mmCIF file of all heavy atoms in Angstrom:
data_model
loop_
_atom_site.group_PDB
_atom_site.id
_atom_site.type_symbol
_atom_site.label_atom_id
_atom_site.label_comp_id
_atom_site.label_asym_id
_atom_site.label_seq_id
_atom_site.Cartn_x
_atom_site.Cartn_y
_atom_site.Cartn_z
ATOM 1 N N GLN R 189 39.739 81.969 -67.597
ATOM 2 C CA GLN R 189 41.106 82.423 -67.158
ATOM 3 C C GLN R 189 41.150 82.689 -65.643
ATOM 4 O O GLN R 189 42.088 82.284 -64.886
ATOM 5 C CB GLN R 189 41.617 83.624 -67.963
ATOM 6 C CG GLN R 189 43.024 84.066 -67.566
ATOM 7 C CD GLN R 189 44.065 83.063 -68.207
ATOM 8 O OE1 GLN R 189 43.807 82.374 -69.134
ATOM 9 N NE2 GLN R 189 45.329 83.134 -67.674
ATOM 10 N N THR R 190 40.067 83.328 -65.167
ATOM 11 C CA THR R 190 40.057 83.673 -63.755
ATOM 12 C C THR R 190 39.986 82.403 -62.822
ATOM 13 O O THR R 190 40.643 82.304 -61.909
ATOM 14 C CB THR R 190 38.825 84.600 -63.440
ATOM 15 O OG1 THR R 190 38.870 85.754 -64.195
ATOM 16 C CG2 THR R 190 38.785 84.918 -61.929
ATOM 17 N N PHE R 191 39.131 81.460 -63.297
ATOM 18 C CA PHE R 191 39.025 80.191 -62.567
ATOM 19 C C PHE R 191 40.312 79.457 -62.533
ATOM 20 O O PHE R 191 40.784 78.936 -61.480
ATOM 21 C CB PHE R 191 37.879 79.315 -63.181
ATOM 22 C CG PHE R 191 37.653 78.109 -62.358
ATOM 23 C CD1 PHE R 191 36.755 78.029 -61.314
ATOM 24 C CD2 PHE R 191 38.359 76.887 -62.648
ATOM 25 C CE1 PHE R 191 36.484 76.894 -60.594
ATOM 26 C CE2 PHE R 191 38.103 75.745 -61.959
ATOM 27 C CZ PHE R 191 37.180 75.754 -60.873
ATOM 28 N N TYR R 192 40.990 79.433 -63.655
ATOM 29 C CA TYR R 192 42.257 78.800 -63.711
ATOM 30 C C TYR R 192 43.300 79.428 -62.743
ATOM 31 O O TYR R 192 44.007 78.742 -61.999
ATOM 32 C CB TYR R 192 42.807 78.800 -65.191
ATOM 33 C CG TYR R 192 44.324 78.735 -65.243
ATOM 34 C CD1 TYR R 192 45.018 77.606 -64.945
ATOM 35 C CD2 TYR R 192 45.072 79.931 -65.579
ATOM 36 C CE1 TYR R 192 46.470 77.554 -64.977
ATOM 37 C CE2 TYR R 192 46.502 79.892 -65.700
ATOM 38 C CZ TYR R 192 47.120 78.697 -65.309
ATOM 39 O OH TYR R 192 48.490 78.651 -65.402
ATOM 40 N N GLN R 193 43.311 80.773 -62.746
ATOM 41 C CA GLN R 193 44.295 81.410 -61.949
ATOM 42 C C GLN R 193 43.990 81.256 -60.432
ATOM 43 O O GLN R 193 44.912 81.291 -59.560
ATOM 44 C CB GLN R 193 44.239 82.943 -62.216
ATOM 45 C CG GLN R 193 44.756 83.268 -63.617
ATOM 46 C CD GLN R 193 44.584 84.760 -64.072
ATOM 47 O OE1 GLN R 193 43.721 85.449 -63.447
ATOM 48 N NE2 GLN R 193 45.461 85.256 -64.955
ATOM 49 N N GLU R 194 42.729 81.029 -60.074
ATOM 50 C CA GLU R 194 42.343 80.810 -58.703
ATOM 51 C C GLU R 194 42.427 79.374 -58.268
ATOM 52 O O GLU R 194 42.423 79.134 -57.095
ATOM 53 C CB GLU R 194 40.900 81.278 -58.505
ATOM 54 C CG GLU R 194 40.730 82.808 -58.656
ATOM 55 C CD GLU R 194 39.259 83.215 -58.533
ATOM 56 O OE1 GLU R 194 38.431 82.305 -58.479
ATOM 57 O OE2 GLU R 194 39.064 84.451 -58.444
ATOM 58 N N HIS R 195 42.589 78.453 -59.232
ATOM 59 C CA HIS R 195 42.713 76.997 -58.910
ATOM 60 C C HIS R 195 43.824 76.440 -59.753
ATOM 61 O O HIS R 195 43.571 75.476 -60.533
ATOM 62 C CB HIS R 195 41.361 76.321 -59.252
ATOM 63 C CG HIS R 195 40.190 76.908 -58.588
ATOM 64 N ND1 HIS R 195 39.469 77.961 -59.037
ATOM 65 C CD2 HIS R 195 39.536 76.689 -57.349
ATOM 66 C CE1 HIS R 195 38.518 78.364 -58.233
ATOM 67 N NE2 HIS R 195 38.539 77.560 -57.170
ATOM 68 N N PRO R 196 45.078 76.866 -59.604
ATOM 69 C CA PRO R 196 46.161 76.368 -60.425
ATOM 70 C C PRO R 196 46.666 74.989 -60.143
ATOM 71 O O PRO R 196 47.292 74.348 -60.917
ATOM 72 C CB PRO R 196 47.214 77.408 -60.271
ATOM 73 C CG PRO R 196 46.986 77.947 -58.852
ATOM 74 C CD PRO R 196 45.483 77.898 -58.649
ATOM 75 N N PHE R 197 46.429 74.499 -58.850
ATOM 76 C CA PHE R 197 47.034 73.294 -58.365
ATOM 77 C C PHE R 197 45.990 72.116 -58.311
ATOM 78 O O PHE R 197 44.842 72.345 -57.944
ATOM 79 C CB PHE R 197 47.655 73.515 -57.006
ATOM 80 C CG PHE R 197 48.791 74.561 -57.046
ATOM 81 C CD1 PHE R 197 48.574 75.741 -56.393
ATOM 82 C CD2 PHE R 197 49.910 74.276 -57.729
ATOM 83 C CE1 PHE R 197 49.643 76.688 -56.458
ATOM 84 C CE2 PHE R 197 50.978 75.231 -57.779
ATOM 85 C CZ PHE R 197 50.785 76.385 -57.098
ATOM 86 N N ILE R 198 46.484 70.926 -58.557
ATOM 87 C CA ILE R 198 45.678 69.723 -58.475
ATOM 88 C C ILE R 198 46.492 68.749 -57.596
ATOM 89 O O ILE R 198 47.738 68.576 -57.821
ATOM 90 C CB ILE R 198 45.415 69.070 -59.828
ATOM 91 C CG1 ILE R 198 44.593 70.065 -60.689
ATOM 92 C CG2 ILE R 198 44.678 67.775 -59.681
ATOM 93 C CD1 ILE R 198 44.312 69.595 -62.100
ATOM 94 N N GLN R 199 45.837 68.044 -56.666
ATOM 95 C CA GLN R 199 46.443 67.039 -55.915
ATOM 96 C C GLN R 199 45.987 65.734 -56.385
ATOM 97 O O GLN R 199 44.741 65.445 -56.535
ATOM 98 C CB GLN R 199 46.081 67.135 -54.350
ATOM 99 C CG GLN R 199 46.816 68.210 -53.624
ATOM 100 C CD GLN R 199 46.417 68.182 -52.148
ATOM 101 O OE1 GLN R 199 45.278 68.124 -51.813
ATOM 102 N NE2 GLN R 199 47.463 68.290 -51.295
ATOM 103 N N PHE R 200 46.887 64.835 -56.688
ATOM 104 C CA PHE R 200 46.573 63.497 -56.961
ATOM 105 C C PHE R 200 47.505 62.624 -56.090
ATOM 106 O O PHE R 200 48.669 62.496 -56.377
ATOM 107 C CB PHE R 200 46.787 63.063 -58.481
ATOM 108 C CG PHE R 200 46.537 61.568 -58.691
ATOM 109 C CD1 PHE R 200 45.407 60.979 -58.303
ATOM 110 C CD2 PHE R 200 47.542 60.875 -59.253
ATOM 111 C CE1 PHE R 200 45.219 59.648 -58.529
ATOM 112 C CE2 PHE R 200 47.394 59.484 -59.471
ATOM 113 C CZ PHE R 200 46.219 58.867 -59.081
ATOM 114 N N HIS R 201 46.954 62.056 -55.112
ATOM 115 C CA HIS R 201 47.688 61.209 -54.113
ATOM 116 C C HIS R 201 47.512 59.724 -54.515
ATOM 117 O O HIS R 201 46.378 59.269 -54.571
ATOM 118 C CB HIS R 201 47.240 61.409 -52.707
ATOM 119 C CG HIS R 201 47.501 62.852 -52.235
ATOM 120 N ND1 HIS R 201 47.068 63.302 -50.994
ATOM 121 C CD2 HIS R 201 48.222 63.889 -52.721
ATOM 122 C CE1 HIS R 201 47.405 64.514 -50.810
ATOM 123 N NE2 HIS R 201 48.159 64.922 -51.916
ATOM 124 N N THR R 202 48.517 59.009 -54.733
ATOM 125 C CA THR R 202 48.460 57.525 -54.889
ATOM 126 C C THR R 202 48.332 56.958 -53.537
ATOM 127 O O THR R 202 48.332 57.645 -52.443
ATOM 128 C CB THR R 202 49.623 57.032 -55.651
ATOM 129 O OG1 THR R 202 50.764 56.991 -54.723
ATOM 130 C CG2 THR R 202 49.970 57.842 -56.847
ATOM 131 N N LEU R 203 48.212 55.599 -53.487
ATOM 132 C CA LEU R 203 48.194 54.902 -52.165
ATOM 133 C C LEU R 203 49.454 55.073 -51.391
ATOM 134 O O LEU R 203 49.524 54.954 -50.200
ATOM 135 C CB LEU R 203 47.894 53.441 -52.371
ATOM 136 C CG LEU R 203 46.569 53.061 -53.002
ATOM 137 C CD1 LEU R 203 46.487 51.543 -53.203
ATOM 138 C CD2 LEU R 203 45.441 53.582 -52.113
#
Side-chain angles (χ1 to χ4, degrees):
Q189 185 72 21
T190 301
F191 184 88
Y192 154 69
Q193 291 172 339
E194 293 175 350
H195 306 84
F197 299 110
I198 298 174
Q199 282 184 317
F200 174 56
H201 296 172
T202 73
L203 296 178

